[in-house]
mmCIF file of all heavy atoms in Angstrom:
data_model
loop_
_atom_site.group_PDB
_atom_site.id
_atom_site.type_symbol
_atom_site.label_atom_id
_atom_site.label_comp_id
_atom_site.label_asym_id
_atom_site.label_seq_id
_atom_site.Cartn_x
_atom_site.Cartn_y
_atom_site.Cartn_z
ATOM 1 N N HIS U 129 26.481 -6.546 -40.247
ATOM 2 C CA HIS U 129 27.809 -7.137 -40.433
ATOM 3 C C HIS U 129 28.793 -6.032 -40.777
ATOM 4 O O HIS U 129 28.533 -5.201 -41.646
ATOM 5 C CB HIS U 129 27.783 -8.194 -41.535
ATOM 6 C CG HIS U 129 26.792 -9.276 -41.267
ATOM 7 N ND1 HIS U 129 26.999 -10.245 -40.309
ATOM 8 C CD2 HIS U 129 25.575 -9.521 -41.796
ATOM 9 C CE1 HIS U 129 25.955 -11.052 -40.275
ATOM 10 N NE2 HIS U 129 25.070 -10.632 -41.160
ATOM 11 N N MET U 130 29.915 -6.047 -40.113
ATOM 12 C CA MET U 130 30.954 -5.065 -40.402
ATOM 13 C C MET U 130 31.665 -5.466 -41.695
ATOM 14 O O MET U 130 31.701 -6.645 -42.060
ATOM 15 C CB MET U 130 31.961 -4.992 -39.248
ATOM 16 C CG MET U 130 31.325 -4.527 -37.949
ATOM 17 S SD MET U 130 30.489 -2.965 -38.129
ATOM 18 C CE MET U 130 31.249 -2.050 -36.846
ATOM 19 N N LEU U 131 32.216 -4.493 -42.366
ATOM 20 C CA LEU U 131 32.934 -4.730 -43.616
ATOM 21 C C LEU U 131 34.310 -5.335 -43.340
ATOM 22 O O LEU U 131 34.916 -5.063 -42.292
ATOM 23 C CB LEU U 131 33.087 -3.416 -44.379
ATOM 24 C CG LEU U 131 31.790 -2.703 -44.742
ATOM 25 C CD1 LEU U 131 32.084 -1.351 -45.367
ATOM 26 C CD2 LEU U 131 30.950 -3.549 -45.682
ATOM 27 N N ASN U 132 34.799 -6.134 -44.274
ATOM 28 C CA ASN U 132 36.139 -6.703 -44.139
ATOM 29 C C ASN U 132 37.170 -5.610 -44.358
ATOM 30 O O ASN U 132 37.055 -4.815 -45.292
ATOM 31 C CB ASN U 132 36.359 -7.824 -45.154
ATOM 32 C CG ASN U 132 35.510 -9.033 -44.836
ATOM 33 O OD1 ASN U 132 35.212 -9.304 -43.682
ATOM 34 N ND2 ASN U 132 35.116 -9.765 -45.864
ATOM 35 N N VAL U 133 38.167 -5.591 -43.492
ATOM 36 C CA VAL U 133 39.203 -4.566 -43.544
ATOM 37 C C VAL U 133 40.528 -5.229 -43.903
ATOM 38 O O VAL U 133 40.871 -6.279 -43.352
ATOM 39 C CB VAL U 133 39.323 -3.855 -42.167
ATOM 40 C CG1 VAL U 133 40.425 -2.824 -42.190
ATOM 41 C CG2 VAL U 133 38.005 -3.227 -41.789
ATOM 42 N N ARG U 134 41.251 -4.576 -44.824
ATOM 43 C CA ARG U 134 42.582 -5.081 -45.182
ATOM 44 C C ARG U 134 43.537 -4.779 -44.037
ATOM 45 O O ARG U 134 43.626 -3.649 -43.579
ATOM 46 C CB ARG U 134 43.096 -4.396 -46.436
ATOM 47 C CG ARG U 134 42.488 -4.866 -47.705
ATOM 48 C CD ARG U 134 43.096 -4.195 -48.934
ATOM 49 N NE ARG U 134 43.919 -3.043 -48.625
ATOM 50 C CZ ARG U 134 45.143 -2.851 -49.098
ATOM 51 N NH1 ARG U 134 45.699 -3.714 -49.878
ATOM 52 N NH2 ARG U 134 45.833 -1.758 -48.795
ATOM 53 N N ASN U 135 44.261 -5.774 -43.611
ATOM 54 C CA ASN U 135 45.238 -5.592 -42.539
ATOM 55 C C ASN U 135 46.670 -5.720 -43.038
ATOM 56 O O ASN U 135 47.605 -5.815 -42.255
ATOM 57 C CB ASN U 135 44.996 -6.596 -41.406
ATOM 58 C CG ASN U 135 43.716 -6.292 -40.669
ATOM 59 O OD1 ASN U 135 43.382 -5.129 -40.474
ATOM 60 N ND2 ASN U 135 42.986 -7.317 -40.278
ATOM 61 N N HIS U 136 46.841 -5.736 -44.355
ATOM 62 C CA HIS U 136 48.168 -5.863 -44.950
ATOM 63 C C HIS U 136 48.935 -4.555 -44.733
ATOM 64 O O HIS U 136 48.466 -3.487 -45.108
ATOM 65 C CB HIS U 136 48.046 -6.177 -46.436
ATOM 66 C CG HIS U 136 49.360 -6.293 -47.128
ATOM 67 N ND1 HIS U 136 50.242 -7.314 -46.864
ATOM 68 C CD2 HIS U 136 49.952 -5.511 -48.048
ATOM 69 C CE1 HIS U 136 51.316 -7.157 -47.605
ATOM 70 N NE2 HIS U 136 51.168 -6.063 -48.342
ATOM 71 N N VAL U 137 50.093 -4.626 -44.113
ATOM 72 C CA VAL U 137 50.854 -3.417 -43.793
ATOM 73 C C VAL U 137 51.818 -3.012 -44.903
ATOM 74 O O VAL U 137 52.346 -1.907 -44.882
ATOM 75 C CB VAL U 137 51.635 -3.575 -42.466
ATOM 76 C CG1 VAL U 137 50.689 -3.671 -41.307
ATOM 77 C CG2 VAL U 137 52.567 -4.753 -42.518
ATOM 78 N N GLY U 138 52.072 -3.870 -45.858
ATOM 79 C CA GLY U 138 52.981 -3.529 -46.946
ATOM 80 C C GLY U 138 54.382 -4.036 -46.675
ATOM 81 O O GLY U 138 54.694 -4.562 -45.606
ATOM 82 N N PRO U 139 55.264 -3.862 -47.658
ATOM 83 C CA PRO U 139 56.628 -4.381 -47.505
ATOM 84 C C PRO U 139 57.468 -3.492 -46.577
ATOM 85 O O PRO U 139 57.214 -2.295 -46.444
ATOM 86 C CB PRO U 139 57.179 -4.329 -48.932
ATOM 87 C CG PRO U 139 56.393 -3.234 -49.591
ATOM 88 C CD PRO U 139 55.028 -3.272 -48.972
ATOM 89 N N ALA U 140 58.455 -4.098 -45.959
ATOM 90 C CA ALA U 140 59.379 -3.359 -45.085
ATOM 91 C C ALA U 140 60.361 -2.578 -45.938
ATOM 92 O O ALA U 140 60.642 -2.943 -47.088
ATOM 93 C CB ALA U 140 60.126 -4.332 -44.177
ATOM 94 N N ILE U 141 60.895 -1.517 -45.380
ATOM 95 C CA ILE U 141 61.876 -0.699 -46.081
ATOM 96 C C ILE U 141 63.206 -1.462 -46.124
ATOM 97 O O ILE U 141 63.626 -2.066 -45.135
ATOM 98 C CB ILE U 141 62.015 0.677 -45.395
ATOM 99 C CG1 ILE U 141 62.865 1.621 -46.230
ATOM 100 C CG2 ILE U 141 62.523 0.556 -43.991
ATOM 101 C CD1 ILE U 141 62.825 3.058 -45.717
ATOM 102 N N SER U 142 63.841 -1.464 -47.280
ATOM 103 C CA SER U 142 65.106 -2.197 -47.434
ATOM 104 C C SER U 142 66.255 -1.352 -46.876
ATOM 105 O O SER U 142 66.136 -0.135 -46.746
ATOM 106 C CB SER U 142 65.358 -2.508 -48.908
ATOM 107 O OG SER U 142 65.675 -1.318 -49.606
ATOM 108 N N PRO U 143 67.398 -1.987 -46.557
ATOM 109 C CA PRO U 143 68.555 -1.212 -46.074
ATOM 110 C C PRO U 143 69.001 -0.140 -47.066
ATOM 111 O O PRO U 143 69.395 0.957 -46.676
ATOM 112 C CB PRO U 143 69.632 -2.275 -45.858
ATOM 113 C CG PRO U 143 68.868 -3.535 -45.616
ATOM 114 C CD PRO U 143 67.638 -3.423 -46.454
ATOM 115 N N ALA U 144 68.924 -0.441 -48.364
ATOM 116 C CA ALA U 144 69.320 0.557 -49.376
ATOM 117 C C ALA U 144 68.361 1.752 -49.355
ATOM 118 O O ALA U 144 68.785 2.916 -49.429
ATOM 119 C CB ALA U 144 69.339 -0.083 -50.758
ATOM 120 N N GLU U 145 67.054 1.462 -49.251
ATOM 121 C CA GLU U 145 66.055 2.540 -49.191
ATOM 122 C C GLU U 145 66.224 3.357 -47.915
ATOM 123 O O GLU U 145 66.071 4.582 -47.927
ATOM 124 C CB GLU U 145 64.639 1.959 -49.253
ATOM 125 C CG GLU U 145 64.287 1.335 -50.588
ATOM 126 C CD GLU U 145 62.982 0.570 -50.559
ATOM 127 O OE1 GLU U 145 62.660 -0.048 -49.511
ATOM 128 O OE2 GLU U 145 62.289 0.574 -51.584
ATOM 129 N N GLU U 146 66.560 2.682 -46.826
ATOM 130 C CA GLU U 146 66.785 3.375 -45.554
ATOM 131 C C GLU U 146 67.961 4.338 -45.680
ATOM 132 O O GLU U 146 67.890 5.489 -45.226
ATOM 133 C CB GLU U 146 67.040 2.356 -44.443
ATOM 134 C CG GLU U 146 67.181 2.961 -43.077
ATOM 135 C CD GLU U 146 67.365 1.908 -41.995
ATOM 136 O OE1 GLU U 146 66.758 0.827 -42.077
ATOM 137 O OE2 GLU U 146 68.147 2.191 -41.058
ATOM 138 N N GLY U 147 69.028 3.901 -46.316
ATOM 139 C CA GLY U 147 70.198 4.761 -46.517
ATOM 140 C C GLY U 147 69.862 5.978 -47.360
ATOM 141 O O GLY U 147 70.283 7.103 -47.058
ATOM 142 N N LYS U 148 69.109 5.763 -48.442
ATOM 143 C CA LYS U 148 68.713 6.883 -49.304
ATOM 144 C C LYS U 148 67.833 7.880 -48.541
ATOM 145 O O LYS U 148 67.986 9.091 -48.680
ATOM 146 C CB LYS U 148 67.943 6.363 -50.527
ATOM 147 C CG LYS U 148 68.815 5.694 -51.566
ATOM 148 C CD LYS U 148 67.937 4.978 -52.571
ATOM 149 C CE LYS U 148 67.985 5.607 -53.927
ATOM 150 N NZ LYS U 148 67.192 4.871 -54.924
ATOM 151 N N LEU U 149 66.919 7.337 -47.751
ATOM 152 C CA LEU U 149 66.017 8.192 -46.967
ATOM 153 C C LEU U 149 66.802 9.054 -45.984
ATOM 154 O O LEU U 149 66.593 10.269 -45.891
ATOM 155 C CB LEU U 149 64.990 7.331 -46.216
ATOM 156 C CG LEU U 149 64.029 8.054 -45.278
ATOM 157 C CD1 LEU U 149 63.130 9.006 -46.048
ATOM 158 C CD2 LEU U 149 63.189 7.053 -44.501
ATOM 159 N N LEU U 150 67.740 8.429 -45.265
ATOM 160 C CA LEU U 150 68.532 9.182 -44.295
ATOM 161 C C LEU U 150 69.427 10.214 -44.981
ATOM 162 O O LEU U 150 69.621 11.318 -44.458
ATOM 163 C CB LEU U 150 69.363 8.229 -43.429
ATOM 164 C CG LEU U 150 68.559 7.415 -42.409
ATOM 165 C CD1 LEU U 150 69.445 6.387 -41.722
ATOM 166 C CD2 LEU U 150 67.901 8.320 -41.390
ATOM 167 N N ALA U 151 69.947 9.886 -46.161
ATOM 168 C CA ALA U 151 70.777 10.841 -46.908
ATOM 169 C C ALA U 151 69.951 12.059 -47.317
ATOM 170 O O ALA U 151 70.410 13.207 -47.192
ATOM 171 C CB ALA U 151 71.380 10.164 -48.134
ATOM 172 N N GLU U 152 68.744 11.826 -47.786
ATOM 173 C CA GLU U 152 67.872 12.942 -48.178
ATOM 174 C C GLU U 152 67.459 13.773 -46.967
ATOM 175 O O GLU U 152 67.361 14.995 -47.055
ATOM 176 C CB GLU U 152 66.630 12.425 -48.905
ATOM 177 C CG GLU U 152 66.913 11.857 -50.282
ATOM 178 C CD GLU U 152 67.442 12.907 -51.238
ATOM 179 O OE1 GLU U 152 66.977 14.067 -51.202
ATOM 180 O OE2 GLU U 152 68.343 12.568 -52.026
#
Side-chain angles (χ1 to χ4, degrees):
H129 303 287
M130 297 305 234
L131 301 174
N132 291 329
V133 178
R134 284 183 347 130
N135 291 323
H136 179 67
V137 293
I141 189 170
S142 71
E145 292 170 325
E146 184 177 323
K148 286 168 112 177
L149 176 64
L150 288 173
E152 290 296 322

